[in-house]
């Protein structure tokens, strides 16, 4: 708690020197297959649940990164290699979430240079997505893998013109897979793996590093509801009204 200093009008005060504490620091090296990895984004968080990074850094040609001028406390480090989509984005200690990450504890002025991290190749989910009506590719459909807690996993997942998709960089865990065409002009409904309409009935897939899974989708056409919205009594039509189906 700061101490206030009262001053009278025109009073001069000398001898109030300030001594600054040296900030703490943490650094490390990021590698893949025992080789330094450049351009890895390292994000530092100070809270287990706040998604806003406190600081960010990027590894240099030697795979080195550092954070300095830190207050005492516990920090969580997240590693992402955007130029290497097959590598898993994880927290220090190879955790998918901050809640399970050990974090880095720093005392006043403490210097730690031991926060090294070895990135790993993730699992891959791939397959085809077609329309059940004619077997044509469901181009533009987004295929996603979700953990049992609802966390999105991996990178990629857009169905190409050949009807194929690939999700890479998936960490170990159990996942539900969903194909969602709602952002396209296709007359098709979202579908979970095994042609299920809900994750509650869909079968999950359990994966480890570097494992591969093939999941195909055949999307069924959606139903149509149509009608007229009008004013009661006069029957005059109403335009530009939003109708929602629950």
């Amino acid at each position: 708690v700061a101490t206030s200093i009262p001053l009278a009008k025109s009073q001069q005060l000398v001898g109030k020197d300030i001594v600054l504490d040296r900030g703490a620091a943490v650094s490390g090296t990021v590698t893949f297959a025992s080789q330094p990895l450049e351009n890895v984004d390292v994000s530092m968080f100070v809270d287990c649940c706040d998604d806003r990074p406190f600081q960010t850094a990027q590894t240099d040609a030697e795979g080195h990164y550092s954070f300095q001028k830190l207050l005492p406390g516990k920090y969580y480090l997240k590693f992402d290699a955007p130029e290497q989509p097959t590598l898993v984005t994880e927290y220090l200690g190879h955790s998918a979430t901050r809640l399970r990450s050990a974090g880095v504890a720093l005392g006043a002025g403490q210097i730690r240079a031991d926060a090294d991290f070895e990135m790993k190749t993730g699992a891959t989910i791939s397959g085809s997505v077609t329309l059940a009506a004619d077997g044509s590719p469901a181009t533009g459909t987004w295929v996603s893998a979700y953990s049992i807690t609802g966390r999105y996993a991996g990178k990629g997942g857009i169905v190409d013109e050949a009807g194929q998709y690939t999700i890479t960089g998936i960490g170990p865990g159990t996942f539900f897979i969903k194909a969602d065409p709602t952002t396209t002009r296709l007359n098709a409904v979202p579908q979970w793996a095994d042609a299920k309409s809900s994750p509650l009935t869909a079968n999950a897939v359990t994966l480890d590093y570097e494992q591969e899974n093939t999941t195909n989708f055949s999307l069924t056409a959606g139903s149509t509801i149509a009608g007229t919205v009008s004013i009661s009594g006069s029957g005059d039509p109403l335009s530009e009204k939003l109708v929602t189906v629950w």
Side-chain angles (χ1 to χ4, degrees):
V1 179
T3 301
S4 62
I5 301 176
L7 288 175
K9 185 177 180 180
S10 301
Q11 179 183 357
Q12 293 185 358
L13 184 66
V14 296
K16 290 295 182 179
D17 300 329
I18 298 176
V19 178
L20 299 178
D21 293 330
R22 187 178 75 168
V26 58
S27 62
T29 301
V30 180
T31 56
F32 172 63
S34 300
Q35 297 299 314
L37 198 58
E38 187 178 8
N39 295 330
V40 174
D41 294 331
V42 186
S43 300
M44 170 177 278
F45 300 86
V46 295
D47 186 88
C48 69
C49 304
D50 190 346
D51 289 332
R52 296 169 298 180
F54 172 65
Q55 288 189 36
T56 59
Q58 192 172 68
T59 58
D60 59 21
E62 286 72 42
H64 184 263
Y65 74 92
S66 66
F67 294 100
Q68 301 181 15
K69 302 178 181 179
L70 302 173
L71 293 171
K74 190 173 185 178
Y75 298 88
Y76 301 88
L77 302 178
K78 180 181 179 181
F79 301 85
D80 178 36
E83 298 178 359
Q84 305 280 348
T86 60
L87 301 184
V88 184
T89 298
E90 292 181 304
Y91 288 88
L92 189 67
H94 295 287
S95 170
T97 65
R98 265 170 278 164
L99 290 175
R100 296 186 177 182
S101 172
V104 178
L106 295 173
Q110 183 179 5
I111 307 297
R112 289 190 57 172
D114 58 351
D116 299 334
F117 189 76
E118 173 79 8
M119 300 203 73
K120 297 184 178 183
T121 300
T124 299
I125 299 174
S126 60
S128 63
V129 184
T130 57
L131 300 179
D134 57 10
S136 61
T139 304
T141 296
W142 183 262
V143 184
S144 305
Y146 297 91
S147 70
I148 57 177
T149 59
R151 175 183 52 83
Y152 175 73
K155 304 167 186 175
I158 292 292
V159 177
D160 61 22
E161 294 183 355
Q164 302 295 312
Y165 76 92
T166 302
I167 305 173
T168 60
I170 303 171
T174 299
F175 305 95
F176 296 95
I177 310 167
K178 180 183 181 182
D180 189 350
T182 54
T183 58
T184 72
R185 295 180 179 273
L186 299 172
N187 180 25
V189 295
Q191 184 183 105
W192 295 85
D194 306 304
K196 303 297 184 180
S197 60
S198 168
L200 298 177
T201 57
N203 292 325
V205 56
T206 299
L207 297 170
D208 203 346
Y209 296 109
E210 302 186 36
Q211 287 189 335
E212 297 182 357
N213 170 269
T214 300
T215 298
N216 300 321
F217 293 87
S218 180
L219 304 181
T220 57
S223 300
T224 300
I225 299 175
T228 301
V229 179
S230 59
I231 299 176
S232 177
S234 68
D236 294 336
L238 288 173
S239 62
E240 299 181 356
K241 298 303 178 183
L242 178 65
V243 179
T244 304
V245 178
W246 296 93

